[in-house]
Amino acid sequence: MVRPKSIRSSRQSSFSGGILPTTAAYNIALCSIMLSAVLLLSAYAVLFSLPDNRAPNTMPTRDADSGAASEWIRKPNDNESVKRPTNVGAESVAGEVANVNLEGGLRPVTKTVATPDIGNDVPASTSPGPSKATVAYAVSLTGCPGGQDDPLTDGAAVLKHSIHLQSALNPASGSRYGYKMYAIVHPDATDCAQQLAAVGYELLVRDVPVPVDEIRGDFLRTKVVVNGCCGEKEYVKLHAYTLLDHPVVVHLDLDTIVLRPMDGLFDAMLNDDNSAAANDMNKLPIMFDKPLPPRVDAYFTRDYNMVKAGKKHVGVQGGFLVLRPSMEVYNNYVDIIREGNFVEGKGWGGLGYGPFYGSLTIQGIVPYYYDELHPNTAVELNRCYYNSMADNPRDKKTVNDVVSGNCRDGRDECEDCRDIDVTEISTAHFTLCQKPWSCLPHGQDMLQHRLCRKLHHEWFRVRADLEGKNGEGQFQPDQFFGFCNHSGGRGYIPIKA
């Protein structure tokens, strides 16, 4: 840092040269005035360092390198941000990692303020109190098929911000849980992983839990490499169980969004006695109205679209898994994979957990573990509210909003998730709706398209909130917030780093 040069008064002289009495009186008076000013400024510093009542739309943030905490305050009439250090008693506010310079958005923090070493779970001073726990949110990268300019980077940034908005870091959410972001990165994906680090994810480079050549079962060893989306690399998701610094881990795909706090799930998982309020079906939408088990170790949804209606064993949907981290559970999975007891045509253990899409990896091994090997320890959530994909609940086409066919989940009657109010959805997964960065208008007046349009609108709303402004695109700006120039992936306007 360049320091300013000292300014010497033209009236100063050496003692040998003599100093006039009037000059001495002048200097004494000047020192007195300066001392008074210092005392006055110190009093003001103490006064204004006290915690203040901040506007509800201000967002706390943390310096990724120093752990510095500052508050970003959006000016009302422009897109610039200013910051001031924020103290809450002896602790400092921690929030979103501000190590990405999004155009018109937040800029990196530079001022260092001591913060407790507890992740980013300390709420702002407007919050009712400290967060209950820090939940780990993890995504997995198995490769870089789209190159370094893949819009999935935007998906990661918007996903993280959606989690922030539904956490204790945003007092308006009412949540009592903080969060920390992780990216579990297969070695083949390290070239593009730094993009996620730039938007606030901690990178964990992990290989598959079991090398393919160590799998003893012939069928699994030879077929897993071409199964599902990513072959054996899909197993890296199991490293989420090793995040032992957190009581709960939520593993999501990058093309998902969080729209409501998930405190009810976390409360039930962390409560040893789930017979009280946490068992309220209005709070926890559990499939088939089943009661909570005495101990909840995992939540998931099932992908009924991948099997025939009424199939007994159905795979989990791989884009959503809430779990209790445990090295014991992780090692159990390792043993199961290494043994490789997947029977052709009959699935894991020869018990019907397969074949279906992804059954040799996460979609099949997770239900085998919780349904068969450790029953009554996991909960299937209603996919209308968690991991919503706007899928048809029946096995025949819907024509003019009239549903027909059998319920895919085996029930005689089943609700249509496509008709659910978007404000009731906690998390959504952009599979059937396609990715938001495809800029599809979903303009048809049909069940699926109506919900898809609303979900895409929510994604772009969160992006606009992240950047602090709308884009300049002219394609349906009310729907896409100015981030699309025309329909299709080439019409999407990426976040500018």
Side-chain angles (χ1 to χ4, degrees):
M1 180 175 66
V2 178
R3 298 183 181 275
K5 296 182 178 179
S6 300
I7 301 176
R8 299 182 59 88
S9 172
S10 62
R11 295 174 60 93
Q12 281 187 310
S13 63
S14 67
F15 181 78
S16 61
I19 301 179
L20 295 175
T22 55
T23 304
Y26 173 86
N27 287 340
I28 293 172
L30 180 61
C31 290
S32 298
I33 293 172
M34 292 177 64
L35 178 61
S36 299
V38 169
L39 292 174
L40 182 60
L41 289 173
S42 299
Y44 274 105
V46 171
L47 175 62
F48 286 102
S49 67
L50 295 176
D52 58 350
N53 293 323
R54 293 170 291 178
N57 62 344
T58 58
M59 302 186 97
T61 186
R62 165 175 288 183
D63 188 326
D65 296 323
S66 66
S70 295
E71 178 186 358
W72 292 94
I73 306 170
R74 180 70 59 188
K75 292 182 180 179
N77 297 321
D78 58 33
N79 290 321
E80 293 299 318
S81 297
V82 296
K83 68 172 174 58
R84 67 180 181 202
T86 306
N87 295 323
V88 184
E91 296 180 343
S92 300
V93 176
E96 288 197 280
V97 177
N99 57 358
V100 58
N101 183 14
L102 299 178
E103 182 181 42
L106 304 180
R107 291 167 174 78
V109 181
T110 58
K111 186 175 181 63
T112 300
V113 181
T115 60
D117 186 20
I118 51 177
N120 47 7
D121 66 332
V122 183
S125 62
T126 51
S127 176
S131 60
K132 186 173 182 178
T134 302
V135 174
Y137 285 82
V139 300
S140 294
L141 283 181
T142 58
C144 303
Q148 294 198 3
D149 295 327
D150 196 308
L152 278 177
T153 305
D154 288 21
V158 173
L159 170 60
K160 177 180 179 289
H161 191 61
S162 75
I163 292 167
H164 177 87
L165 293 176
Q166 305 305 326
S167 76
L169 276 298
N170 175 24
S173 72
S175 174
R176 291 168 290 108
Y177 290 88
Y179 70 95
K180 183 172 181 179
M181 305 300 300
Y182 294 92
I184 302 170
V185 181
H186 188 275
D188 289 350
T190 55
D191 287 345
C192 57
Q194 289 302 321
Q195 298 174 73
L196 271 65
V199 294
Y201 289 72
E202 180 175 329
L203 303 185
L204 304 174
V205 179
R206 301 289 186 269
D207 210 334
V208 293
V210 180
V212 173
D213 59 5
E214 293 183 13
I215 298 174
R216 292 192 288 269
D218 291 341
F219 185 82
L220 182 63
R221 185 178 62 255
T222 57
K223 300 297 184 182
V224 69
V225 293
V226 294
N227 186 249
C229 72
C230 316
E232 81 286 359
K233 296 177 185 177
E234 187 81 350
Y235 286 139
V236 299
K237 290 183 177 181
L238 297 175
H239 288 292
Y241 284 92
T242 68
L243 298 177
L244 302 180
D245 289 340
H246 304 273
V248 180
V249 179
V250 181
H251 192 287
L252 299 170
D253 279 358
L254 284 168
D255 57 344
T256 59
I257 189 171
V258 177
L259 298 173
R260 291 168 56 89
M262 293 189 280
D263 288 30
L265 301 185
F266 307 150
D267 287 345
M269 180 173 279
L270 300 180
N271 186 3
D272 291 333
D273 181 7
N274 293 323
S275 61
N279 201 18
D280 186 349
M281 293 301 107
N282 293 323
K283 295 181 179 179
L284 295 183
I286 300 175
M287 282 297 292
F288 310 112
D289 295 330
K290 290 184 177 180
L292 282 169
R295 174 184 166 98
V296 179
D297 286 336
Y299 299 99
F300 50 74
T301 63
R302 297 190 195 270
D303 199 342
Y304 292 96
N305 301 285
M306 298 298 175
V307 298
K308 292 182 178 180
K311 178 176 172 58
K312 182 179 180 180
H313 298 303
V314 181
V316 303
Q317 213 293 321
F320 175 89
L321 179 62
V322 183
L323 58 93
R324 186 192 302 272
S326 166
M327 286 305 302
E328 179 181 0
V329 174
Y330 173 79
N331 289 329
N332 287 341
Y333 277 117
V334 169
D335 292 341
I336 294 169
I337 296 169
R338 181 170 282 112
E339 181 185 11
N341 186 16
F342 189 101
V343 180
E344 183 176 3
K346 297 182 179 179
W348 290 99
L351 299 173
Y353 294 93
F356 44 74
Y357 181 82
S359 61
L360 278 71
T361 60
I362 295 298
Q363 287 92 325
I365 197 171
V366 170
Y368 174 59
Y369 184 87
Y370 287 113
D371 293 349
E372 191 68 33
L373 303 181
H374 300 274
N376 204 34
T377 61
V379 174
E380 179 188 356
L381 296 171
N382 189 324
R383 70 189 188 282
C384 291
Y385 306 95
Y386 288 93
N387 204 33
S388 174
M389 300 190 299
D391 57 307
N392 184 352
R394 298 179 180 268
D395 60 1
K396 292 186 179 180
K397 291 184 178 180
T398 300
V399 180
N400 297 325
D401 287 358
V402 177
V403 297
S404 60
N406 297 317
C407 294
R408 293 182 180 275
D409 58 22
R411 291 181 291 178
D412 293 333
E413 295 295 332
C414 48
E415 60 187 326
D416 196 326
C417 298
R418 299 170 296 180
D419 205 27
I420 297 295
D421 191 324
V422 70
T423 62
E424 298 180 20
I425 296 174
S426 294
T427 72
H429 190 183
F430 297 105
T431 55
L432 297 175
C433 289
Q434 302 302 308
K435 315 309 178 192
W437 44 90
S438 62
C439 292
L440 296 178
H442 288 289
Q444 300 94 318
D445 188 17
M446 300 166 57
L447 270 174
Q448 178 175 327
H449 289 288
R450 287 195 294 268
L451 179 57
C452 288
R453 182 174 176 84
K454 292 175 182 176
L455 291 175
H456 278 207
H457 180 81
E458 288 299 298
W459 190 90
F460 283 99
R461 177 187 62 80
V462 173
R463 175 182 164 176
D465 189 84
L466 170 64
E467 297 195 61
K469 65 177 183 179
N470 291 2
E472 299 179 355
Q474 298 302 309
F475 181 60
Q476 298 189 14
D478 290 341
Q479 167 68 7
F480 300 113
F481 288 80
F483 298 121
C484 292
N485 280 320
H486 54 78
S487 179
R490 294 186 177 181
Y492 177 72
I493 302 173
I495 296 175
K496 293 183 179 180

